[in-house]
Amino acid sequence: MNATRYLFFTGKGGVGKTSVACATAMNLADAGKKVLLVSTDPASNLDDVFETRVDQQPTEMADVTGLWALNLDPEEAARAYREQVVGSYRGLMPEAVIASIEEQLSGACTMEIATFDLFTRLLGDSAQMAGYDQIIFDTAPTGHTLRLLALPKAWSGFLSASTHGASCIGPLAGLSEHRKRYEDTVSALANATLTTLILVAKPEPPALAEAARASRELGELGLTNQQLVVNGVLETDEGDRVAAIFKQQQAEALSQIPADLKNLPRHVVPLLSVPPVGIANLRLLVERMRRPGAGETGKSIVYREDSVAKNVPLGLEPVVADLDRRKRGVVLVMGKGGVGKTTIATALALALAERGHRVHLSTTDPAAHLDLALAGAGVEVGDGFSVSHIDPVAEVAAYREEVMGTVGAGLDADGRALLAEDLASPCTEEIAVFRAFARTVDRVEEGFVVLDTAPTGHTLLLLDATQSYHREVERSTGEVPEEVRRLLPRLRDPELTHVLVVTLAQATPVLEAARLQEDLRRAGIEPAWWVVNQTWTGVPTADPVLGSLSWAEGPWLDKVVKTLAKRAVRIPWQIKVPKGREGLVQLF
Amino acid sequence: MKSVAIYDPAMCCSTGVCGPSPSQELARVATDLQRLIQSKVEVKRYNLSQQPGAFMRQDEVRKLLTEKGPNILPIVVADGKVRVVGRYPTTAEFEAWLVEVERVAHK
């Protein structure tokens, strides 16, 4: 690969961005380049990968000549930013005031902007950067951040007379003197001779869809020099049934690859029998990347740790039994996209209905309805069992239109542009679906309500704060709907609401789920169960690569069971994709 | 009247209008403020989560916030005096202020 000076890796959590970035960095260093690897991934384990302590300063990696690495933690950056805003007012302002400010600065926006700030500081440090031929980042800024920074209103007069109040750009408001630095970074990103964007995906539909979205969005901003890495392709074939099915599922996903990705230069990274941790294993990955299809050769180290995996109950039955004791309840199935929330929510709803409960299933995936209707099972959608669909796209469009038509009407053109971009923020979707969510939860009066989507604790706290002050304003008009007023107390009641955190037994998904749990706890909601989906422990396969996956997931299952979950179950990887009743009952 | 300052509560990062049903109220305020700006009144708006310093620098605002907590917001200050507390001014109040502005301008 004839690499540009900057390489940015992007992709959904858990696709292996950091691993591929590390291997790429090692490959370039081996070729005689002087390489700086920058990790901003909070789950990054560069210390283990390179067997060298990595901190915020570039450190040369032992045993890899020419490779320096540094670790920047966006959570730490966001914390530092919050402290910079409120630190000097601690003790001067009441605790409640400090808390309300901190909550405002705990959202996804703050972390995104804080991370971008780290990028720009590093790229702007030309004295330090001059020493390297290649600079590799294991994450990339989002389209939302880049678009926001390109708006004139984001910089002009924001502090003095922002008539619409707040913005995603807020976290940068105190830093407007660095405008030039931000602009330089954005133009370096859009320079195809300087920057390559590398989209990393697993050969699975959700990861490919996410890569396609990023490709389109960042392409529109001028980051057109893109390449695709498909990571984790199974190449062994020793007549094993599970391996054959697994390979077929991967091939199917790749044959339906989204149009945006089809014409990009594509690199295939094989699935390894070892986690890419430690110099020897990483070197193996580099070898395999250079010659895909050649089979696994060379020395590798297999980690075999004592794991509690085998003691974690298999299947959803314990969860169903726990719910079955009750007459009604709200079941929130939460987690990042692609971990299997809709499937698990659908299976739980089906099981509760089969045990004679009145059940309402609400899903953001329109296919779930069809899936049940076509199941031809003992449970028919109708008597005592209903399904509704929350369409996030339609909800967001309606919400945007409403806000632009009301608040937007009072603003000038630049103000409207900033408002429109704020409405493209990650929080907007949550706020937009919130009303539909509150309405659905209200049906708990009738029985069980199972939802495959729910607002984060951060959003619930913000909306609750907004509501408490609007309550004063609107006491007479009664504009806050009753179901919204009842919502948070209901969600906080552990007898009524049961949160299932769904994750995969891998580093980043577990970290993301832990963060979600923290966030819910801030809002006074305690998750009842963790569901670790698609585990390999105990899956009957003779394939050496697939077989080794159960060793790799052991430490993550341990972490979930020992430090994160009150109660946990795991669901093994399914030979048959769980669809229809027949497929869904596999999960019990 | 020469200046109006709005001390907003800590507002959401996405639009400042998030919540189950607040958009009408904030929209009206934004529109009314725009009219003040057109009449050459200096309008400033401070968000607790982004400019807490402004809340500490205004003595009356600091006192109210320290004694009553964040739910006392919004506070509206005109020409250095607290005029409205715990809500936004009504359109009628804004109009009365506009009349004041006009009167001063014609003197």
Side-chain angles (χ1 to χ4, degrees):
Chain A
M1 177 164 37
N2 204 351
T4 53
R5 181 163 163 77
Y6 300 123
L7 301 177
F8 283 85
F9 289 80
T10 186
K12 215 166 71 69
V15 296
K17 286 189 294 288
T18 301
S19 304
V20 177
C22 287
T24 306
M26 188 188 235
N27 195 22
L28 287 165
D30 284 355
K33 298 279 170 86
K34 208 174 159 197
V35 182
L36 176 65
L37 173 65
V38 181
S39 178
T40 56
D41 181 357
S44 158
N45 56 342
L46 290 190
D47 291 17
D48 296 335
V49 172
F50 291 111
E51 299 165 30
T52 307
R53 173 100 186 92
V54 179
D55 62 18
Q56 293 174 32
Q57 292 304 318
T59 312
E60 187 165 18
M61 296 300 99
D63 305 322
V64 190
T65 313
L67 177 59
W68 278 257
L70 69 91
N71 221 341
L72 299 173
D73 182 353
E75 283 186 25
E76 184 49 46
R79 241 190 322 274
Y81 173 72
R82 273 197 297 279
E83 203 43 43
Q84 180 196 322
V85 174
V86 296
S88 50
Y89 304 112
R90 257 181 233 290
L92 293 174
M93 285 185 175
E95 203 38 54
V97 175
I98 300 284
S100 80
I101 298 173
E102 285 186 319
E103 188 54 45
Q104 288 294 328
L105 300 173
S106 297
C109 305
T110 305
M111 204 146 97
E112 250 183 65
I113 300 276
T115 309
F116 185 77
D117 190 54
L118 291 178
F119 281 143
T120 65
R121 254 188 259 175
L122 206 64
L123 291 177
D125 185 351
S126 43
Q128 195 174 50
M129 291 300 105
Y132 302 100
D133 302 315
Q134 318 270 174
I135 297 133
I136 298 179
F137 294 85
D138 72 352
T139 38
T142 65
H144 172 56
T145 300
L146 295 178
R147 284 194 306 267
L148 204 52
L149 293 168
L151 293 172
K153 192 70 172 190
W155 299 102
S156 66
F158 173 76
L159 277 171
S160 53
S162 67
T163 36
H164 86 268
S167 167
C168 289
I169 198 85
L172 278 186
L175 304 167
S176 52
E177 66 266 33
H178 304 311
R179 181 174 180 179
K180 170 109 177 39
R181 200 176 76 198
Y182 297 128
E183 285 174 348
D184 289 349
T185 302
V186 174
S187 71
L189 282 170
N191 183 340
T193 59
L194 265 183
T195 301
T196 310
L197 180 73
I198 298 165
L199 305 148
V200 186
K202 284 194 172 167
E204 294 163 7
L208 289 166
E210 171 60 25
R213 202 193 52 75
S215 166
R216 209 164 41 240
E217 199 179 31
L218 293 170
E220 279 164 9
L221 289 160
L223 281 83
T224 49
N225 187 6
Q226 302 183 355
Q227 302 197 7
L228 175 68
V229 169
V230 181
N231 186 28
V233 175
L234 182 64
E235 288 188 340
T236 51
D237 187 11
E238 299 176 12
D240 180 69
R241 177 161 167 266
V242 171
I245 294 165
F246 188 83
K247 280 181 84 164
Q248 196 206 327
Q249 288 181 2
Q250 291 198 329
E252 224 164 87
L254 286 175
S255 74
Q256 290 161 14
I257 195 164
D260 297 285
L261 303 178
K262 220 170 226 165
N263 297 321
L264 296 180
R266 191 188 301 182
H267 310 272
V268 169
V269 178
L271 188 62
L272 291 194
S273 67
V274 288
V277 174
I279 300 283
N281 288 357
L282 192 65
R283 223 167 254 300
L284 183 72
L285 179 62
V286 171
E287 279 306 311
R288 297 297 313 277
M289 281 168 70
R290 282 185 196 147
R291 294 179 299 125
E296 219 169 274
T297 53
K299 190 166 143 272
S300 67
I301 299 159
V302 178
Y303 286 83
R304 304 211 164 196
E305 296 177 20
D306 276 336
S307 168
V308 296
K310 289 192 170 62
N311 304 325
V312 182
L314 267 181
L316 290 169
E317 181 53 39
V319 182
V320 178
D322 181 34
L323 295 170
D324 191 29
R325 295 187 287 116
R326 306 157 203 267
K327 283 201 172 57
R328 58 189 195 124
V330 178
V331 182
L332 304 178
V333 182
M334 301 183 71
K336 282 269 178 172
V339 295
K341 288 193 297 283
T342 303
T343 306
I344 287 164
T346 311
L348 279 174
L350 183 73
L352 287 168
E354 288 189 341
R355 289 173 203 204
H357 294 282
R358 284 185 78 88
V359 180
H360 180 79
L361 168 67
S362 171
T363 159
T364 49
D365 181 358
H369 189 178
L370 268 178
D371 191 27
L372 279 175
L374 295 175
V379 174
E380 295 288 329
V381 174
D383 236 20
F385 190 36
S386 54
V387 181
S388 66
H389 175 216
I390 295 178
D391 180 354
V393 178
E395 298 286 344
V396 169
Y399 179 77
R400 266 185 210 158
E401 201 176 314
E402 186 188 328
V403 173
M404 290 310 293
T406 52
V407 180
L411 303 177
D412 59 14
D414 284 352
R416 284 176 65 86
L418 179 59
L419 181 61
E421 190 50 49
D422 275 349
L423 285 167
S425 87
C427 329
T428 299
E429 181 173 312
E430 281 197 40
I431 291 156
V433 301
F434 179 78
R435 282 180 279 196
F437 172 79
R439 266 198 312 276
T440 312
V441 168
D442 210 41
R443 300 181 70 146
V444 72
E445 297 299 333
E446 302 155 27
F448 278 98
V449 179
V450 183
L451 295 107
D452 70 355
T453 182
T456 61
H458 173 64
T459 300
L460 288 169
L461 283 175
L462 290 184
L463 294 180
D464 192 53
T466 317
Q467 187 205 332
S468 65
Y469 109 83
H470 279 280
R471 209 177 284 144
E472 299 301 314
V473 181
E474 290 160 344
R475 189 178 284 147
S476 50
T477 61
E479 260 187 73
V480 176
E482 193 54 30
E483 66 263 23
V484 171
R485 215 180 294 260
R486 279 199 296 253
L487 187 68
L488 201 55
R490 272 180 169 164
L491 297 182
R492 282 175 172 156
D493 177 359
E495 286 303 308
L496 191 67
T497 296
H498 312 274
V499 174
L500 275 70
V501 173
V502 185
T503 188
L504 308 174
Q506 297 161 19
T508 302
V510 167
L511 183 99
E512 287 174 342
R515 204 185 289 150
L516 173 70
Q517 173 163 278
E518 272 315 302
D519 186 72
L520 287 165
R521 282 178 174 163
R522 273 208 322 274
I525 299 167
E526 181 65 35
W529 292 91
W530 277 54
V531 179
V532 186
N533 201 10
Q534 297 168 15
T535 63
W536 283 94
T537 305
V539 172
T541 175
D543 182 274
V545 174
L546 291 181
S548 72
L549 291 179
S550 60
W551 294 111
E553 72 192 12
W556 302 110
L557 264 165
D558 281 2
K559 189 174 166 68
V560 169
V561 173
K562 289 178 184 158
T563 69
L564 294 166
K566 273 171 79 182
R567 287 173 295 180
V569 293
R570 65 192 168 94
I571 298 177
W573 182 83
Q574 305 291 324
I575 287 173
K576 191 171 171 299
V577 176
K579 281 212 160 78
R581 184 183 181 279
E582 191 198 335
L584 291 170
V585 293
Q586 300 178 101
L587 306 185
F588 292 96
Chain B
M1 182 171 304
K2 289 197 172 64
S3 71
V4 170
I6 312 261
Y7 295 84
D8 285 308
M11 286 204 282
C12 167
C13 68
S14 107
T15 59
V17 293
C18 61
S21 57
S23 57
Q24 300 294 339
E25 175 72 356
L26 281 174
R28 177 188 65 75
V29 172
T31 312
D32 285 341
L33 285 176
Q34 204 65 41
R35 288 166 65 201
L36 284 179
I37 293 167
Q38 280 157 11
S39 303
K40 307 272 185 279
V41 175
E42 189 194 356
V43 174
K44 288 211 160 139
R45 205 155 174 187
Y46 303 105
N47 182 341
L48 180 60
S49 60
Q50 288 168 14
Q51 299 117 297
F55 292 68
M56 299 307 283
R57 281 192 297 275
Q58 219 291 347
D59 287 341
E60 280 186 86
V61 171
R62 185 186 62 227
K63 206 156 162 273
L64 281 167
L65 191 61
T66 314
E67 283 167 11
K68 306 273 168 79
N71 286 338
I72 196 70
L73 300 173
I75 298 170
V76 183
V77 175
D79 289 339
K81 283 207 189 74
V82 170
R83 298 284 280 262
V84 177
V85 174
R87 62 177 175 85
Y88 291 103
T90 61
T91 296
E93 284 169 315
F94 274 123
E95 267 163 13
W97 295 356
L98 274 172
V99 172
E100 237 177 89
V101 174
E102 301 281 316
R103 214 177 33 232
V104 174
H106 284 285
K107 262 185 192 167

